């Protein structure tokens, strides 16, 4: 397992979450993303956090692996928290740091928004960590199947989304390799004026784009060589079917949604 980036990466396993129908997982994540914006109290955030952490525990994926893989977004979470401390001027002044007054409302809002951001990233990462790209494609195609009646390219859209998710960790690894290669040649990405640092990114972006286009071309040729003609007339090796455990988890998540709305401030 590569722990540099968990978004888009699949970790094989035999946990109950791995065995769940991908349509049930996508449905839960879709409504989780909506409901998290309605949470505005300790109890409502606690309900969502408990559900997310229990989901992580059931996957049997090491929490340290997930935490390390989320390292790229930790900066955004911390930056969001600090930004609210500086900008928001609500409530009473708690203390001052470097001439800036930190208000109680700013602290509460900063924690809430940062926690919301963290839960969104964590729960959406679980989809790709526990579901293969093929299963995600089949699930999206099944959910959007009614749109086929209006000639909407459902299969092609689902395929593009799953390929995009699959190549996120690949491109991140490629970026890391190229940056290390450029650093060994004396390119400095971390120090110096902003203008010079922006110029230093060019030797990183050019080979990255070349590599991405090359991978896309190789993938297209491989699909064409295997006779891929789109979704029309294609059959599936495994048919998706909701089981008792899927219905049970959906019912449990329904109670979580009810708890969130009942405990809103």
């Amino acid at each position: 397992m590569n722990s540099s980036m968990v978004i888009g990466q699949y970790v094989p396993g035999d946990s109950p979450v791995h065995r769940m129908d991908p349509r049930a997982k996508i449905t839960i994540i879709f409504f989780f993303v909506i409901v998290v914006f309605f949470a505005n109290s300790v109890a409502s955030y606690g309900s969502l956090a408990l559900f997310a952490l229990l989901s992580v525990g059931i996957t049997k994926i090491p929490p340290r692996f997930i935490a390390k893989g989320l390292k790229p977004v930790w900066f955004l979470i911390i930056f969001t928290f600090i930004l609210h401390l500086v900008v928001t001027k609500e409530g009473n002044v708690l203390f001052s740091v470097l001439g800036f007054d930190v208000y109680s409302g700013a602290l509460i809002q900063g924690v809430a928004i940062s926690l919301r951001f963290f839960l969104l990233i964590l729960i959406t990462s679980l989809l790709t960590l526990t579901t293969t790209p093929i299963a995600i494609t089949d699930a999206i195609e099944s959910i959007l199947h009614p749109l086929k009646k209006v000639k909407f390219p459902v299969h092609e859209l689902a395929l593009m989304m799953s390929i995009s998710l699959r190549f996120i960790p690949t491109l991140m690894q490629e970026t890391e390799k190229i940056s290390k290669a450029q650093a060994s040649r004396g390119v400095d990405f971390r120090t110096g004026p902003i203008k010079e640092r922006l110029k230093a990114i060019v030797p990183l972006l050019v080979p990255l784009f070349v590599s991405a286009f090359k991978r896309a071309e190789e993938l297209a040729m491989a699909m064409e060589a295997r006779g891929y003609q789109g979704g029309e007339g294609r059959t599936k090796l495994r048919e998706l079917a909701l089981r008792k455990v899927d219905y049970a988890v959906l019912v449990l998540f329904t109670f979580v949604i009810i708890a969130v709305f009942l405990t809103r401030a």
Side-chain angles (χ1 to χ4, degrees):
M1 294 187 297
N2 176 30
S3 59
S4 61
M5 182 62 143
V6 299
I7 301 175
Q9 187 174 172
Y10 171 66
V11 179
D14 192 37
S15 70
V17 179
H18 283 81
R19 295 194 299 269
M20 279 183 63
D21 189 294
R23 294 172 297 179
K25 287 188 273 189
I26 291 176
T27 301
I28 290 172
I29 290 171
F30 175 77
F31 284 103
F32 188 97
V33 170
I34 296 175
V35 171
V36 75
F37 288 98
F38 288 92
N40 63 355
S41 66
V42 174
S44 57
Y45 275 112
S47 301
L48 293 171
L50 180 62
F51 179 83
L53 294 176
L54 282 176
S55 300
V56 172
I58 294 173
T59 62
K60 299 179 182 178
I61 299 174
R64 184 178 298 180
F65 169 78
I66 297 177
K68 189 176 180 181
L70 292 176
K71 188 183 298 183
V73 301
W74 284 120
F75 170 77
L76 292 176
I77 295 174
I78 296 173
F79 175 78
T80 302
F81 176 72
I82 295 175
L83 184 64
H84 278 85
L85 291 184
V86 174
V87 175
T88 307
K89 308 293 182 182
E90 298 177 0
N92 301 319
V93 177
L94 298 177
F95 54 88
S96 296
V97 178
L98 300 176
F100 291 98
D101 293 330
V102 177
Y103 292 78
S104 57
L107 184 62
I108 294 172
Q109 191 171 349
V111 171
I113 299 299
S114 300
L115 180 59
R116 181 180 297 170
F117 189 26
F118 171 74
L119 290 175
L120 287 175
I121 298 296
L122 179 62
I123 202 71
T124 51
S125 298
L126 288 182
L127 175 65
T128 56
L129 284 170
T130 61
T131 316
T132 62
I134 295 176
I136 293 176
T137 302
D138 292 342
I140 296 175
E141 185 177 359
S142 176
I143 292 172
L144 300 180
H145 182 75
L147 295 178
K148 286 186 176 181
K149 295 180 180 180
V150 294
K151 305 298 182 180
F152 190 81
V154 172
H155 176 80
E156 287 72 15
L157 175 65
L159 183 65
M160 286 190 296
M161 292 176 65
S162 63
I163 290 176
S164 300
L165 289 172
R166 169 62 186 85
F167 273 89
I168 289 175
T170 303
L171 291 177
M172 292 295 293
Q173 293 174 26
E174 196 74 26
T175 303
E176 186 177 0
K177 286 166 58 178
I178 295 173
S179 62
K180 288 181 178 179
Q182 297 291 359
S184 67
R185 293 176 173 85
V187 179
D188 190 0
F189 299 102
R190 302 180 183 277
T191 59
I194 295 179
K195 185 177 180 180
E196 296 298 325
R197 292 167 67 179
L198 290 175
K199 287 182 179 179
I201 294 178
V202 176
L204 175 64
L205 292 179
V206 172
L208 180 62
F209 274 104
V210 171
S211 175
F213 286 126
K214 184 179 179 182
R215 287 181 181 275
E217 184 180 8
E218 290 174 348
L219 178 61
M221 292 176 62
M223 293 172 68
E224 185 178 356
R226 287 165 175 79
Y228 177 76
Q229 298 292 333
E232 196 64 32
R234 289 176 62 86
T235 58
K236 295 179 174 60
L237 178 63
R238 296 181 180 86
E239 293 291 338
L240 297 177
L242 290 169
R243 300 179 301 163
K244 291 181 180 179
V245 64
D246 301 311
Y247 289 112
V249 176
L250 286 170
V251 171
L252 175 62
F253 183 66
T254 302
F255 283 117
V256 173
I257 294 176
I258 294 172
V260 169
F261 282 98
L262 290 179
T263 55
R264 275 170 50 85

